[in-house]
Amino acid sequence: MTARGTRQGLDAEDLDVEEALALVKDGNGTARPPGGHSPAQRGGSGDGAPPSSSPSSPARSPEAGHRADPAEHRHRATSWPEARTIAARAARSGAARLAPVSVTLGDALGLVLAAPLTALTDLPSFDTSAMDGWAVAGPGPWHVREEGVLAGSSAPAPLADGEAVRIATGARIPPDTTAVLRSEHGRTDDNGRLHPTREMQHGQDIRPRGQECRSGDQLLRAGAVVTPAVLGLAAAAGYDTLAAVPRPRVEVLVLGDELLTEGRPHDGLIRDALGPMLPPWLRSLGAEVTSVRRLGDDAKALHKAITASAADLIVTTGGTASGPVDHVHPTLRRLDAELLVDGVKVRPGHPMLLARLKEDQHLVGLPGNPLAAVSGLLTLAEPLLRALAARPASEPYALPLRQSVHGHPYDTRLIPVVLRGDHAVPLHYNGPAMLRGIAAADALAVVPPGGARAGQETELLDLPWATAGIDACFT
């Protein structure tokens, strides 16, 4: 029986070798990943059994302190929703929380307020004209003064009853003003006296002091994201700096001797897709990427890089499985790191991991295959970074699928989709090593074990640039 024969609608491009084996052999405990390299990248890049089944796995794990044999593995991997919860919770521990910093308005965009934004003054701080026109006192007609009142000028003299004065938008209202007559609603007669062309109301087109807020009013709560509008409000309220949660510092370690940094693939070497892709993606998640380092398959270099890093989060790519050059698990064991997540029941990206290196430092190990790495990024790195930066979680939402999507027998699948009207359309080229689908996608559909039928409501994970735009996303 072939893998295609186990479930209707399976596309060869949708499954890697291990997934096909799992579909055929699920339930008998014999399905296990191939021992060699994947076509795109070696160890840690596919979706094989996670490193917890390897003799080199760290002894510490959330579930047990012993080495698990392969038959135990599927019970030890963490479910996809639970993995995201664990990642967010890890960042909320006392030591992991980032201390607030004082930043100028020019550096605050995208950060989260660490303290409520309280008005430092009344807004407006004086009675102002809402329109260009005349400030008038009493009923018309009015005698018009020669001098006008401009925005930013010194305090004007009071108006006597029957007087008017030219006034600009934003200018201070003279004392004893009754209303502002708009330029288009007034006319002057041959004697130079001003007459209204429409009925006027007392206080018309005057913005009274404190109309928007009074000094001491809370304008925004702590935890609000600093948007361009928030910057404007803060400036109007008298702020030069804001107390904010800083961006988490992230260091990216790209592992793999087979990776090229330029040119076309050749002679068994492939282009590094993750080095160019991960830093801007991490920045879109609110991180400050301090460095991107390429280490190759070197256990000593990996150990040195991790121990020397001052980043809040270290992200590694590749090397999370159990192959001969997969050094992430042995290095974590050597560092006595605490594995919080060791394998996730999600495809692609099964052998991802999350470890606590210190109370205030974590490591996310991404598989080396590109789409599998994206899965790990959204499963573990995104909730962790969001919690570190104190950013609010997006409201979950779902849309019906335009076509059915086959599922893994026991794992969640993340499938690139485009949004068309009120439906999500699944894309092809969604194998672990492929980026063609995600490059065209608006979101990832969270397909539950067993798959989803056409018309079924399915949770969606928005891609940052699909909702905010490229410029807004990466600044």
Side-chain angles (χ1 to χ4, degrees), residues 10 56 102 169 178 213 246 256 265 290 322 324 336 431 438-439 457-459:
L10 297 188
S56 61
S102 178
T169 302
T178 303
C213 65
T290 58
S322 55
D336 197 30
I438 193 73
E457 293 253 326
T458 305
E459 181 183 354

Side-chain angles (χ1 to χ4, degrees), residues 161-208:
D161 203 34
E163 277 192 317
V165 64
R166 269 285 184 183
I167 195 166
T169 302
R172 298 179 69 173
I173 293 292
D176 300 324
T177 295
T178 303
V180 170
L181 177 65
R182 300 186 185 189
S183 297
E184 62 270 27
H185 296 165
R187 64 174 181 83
T188 55
D189 59 24
D190 294 340
N191 296 321
R193 294 176 66 81
L194 176 66
H195 298 261
T197 59
R198 293 192 181 183
E199 184 178 349
M200 295 180 60
Q201 302 295 325
H202 186 86
Q204 179 174 307
D205 289 325
I206 294 176
R207 294 186 62 216

Side-chain angles (χ1 to χ4, degrees), residues 116-134:
L117 189 71
T118 303
L120 302 180
T121 181
D122 296 343
L123 286 181
S125 55
F126 47 83
D127 293 347
T128 62
S129 176
M131 303 295 295
D132 292 333
W134 297 269

Side-chain angles (χ1 to χ4, degrees), residues 60-62 332 335-341 354-357 359:
R60 301 173 67 176
S61 75
L332 293 177
L335 293 171
D336 197 30
E338 179 184 3
L339 274 174
L340 304 177
V341 175
L354 169 63
R356 179 180 287 122
L357 303 173
E359 284 301 316

Side-chain angles (χ1 to χ4, degrees), residues 195-277:
H195 298 261
T197 59
R198 293 192 181 183
E199 184 178 349
M200 295 180 60
Q201 302 295 325
H202 186 86
Q204 179 174 307
D205 289 325
I206 294 176
R207 294 186 62 216
R209 177 173 180 164
Q211 182 185 52
E212 185 168 4
C213 65
R214 289 291 184 180
S215 179
D217 285 353
Q218 180 174 308
L219 305 177
L220 291 170
R221 59 174 178 79
V225 178
V226 179
T227 63
V230 171
L231 292 176
L233 177 62
Y239 283 85
D240 299 313
T241 61
L242 293 173
V245 181
R247 290 179 175 85
R249 297 163 300 165
V250 178
E251 185 170 5
V252 179
L253 305 179
V254 180
L255 314 180
D257 289 336
E258 76 279 26
L259 302 178
L260 296 168
T261 58
E262 60 183 14
R264 301 179 183 180
H266 62 84
D267 301 326
L269 303 177
I270 62 173
R271 278 296 297 272
D272 168 29
L274 298 182
M277 180 175 71

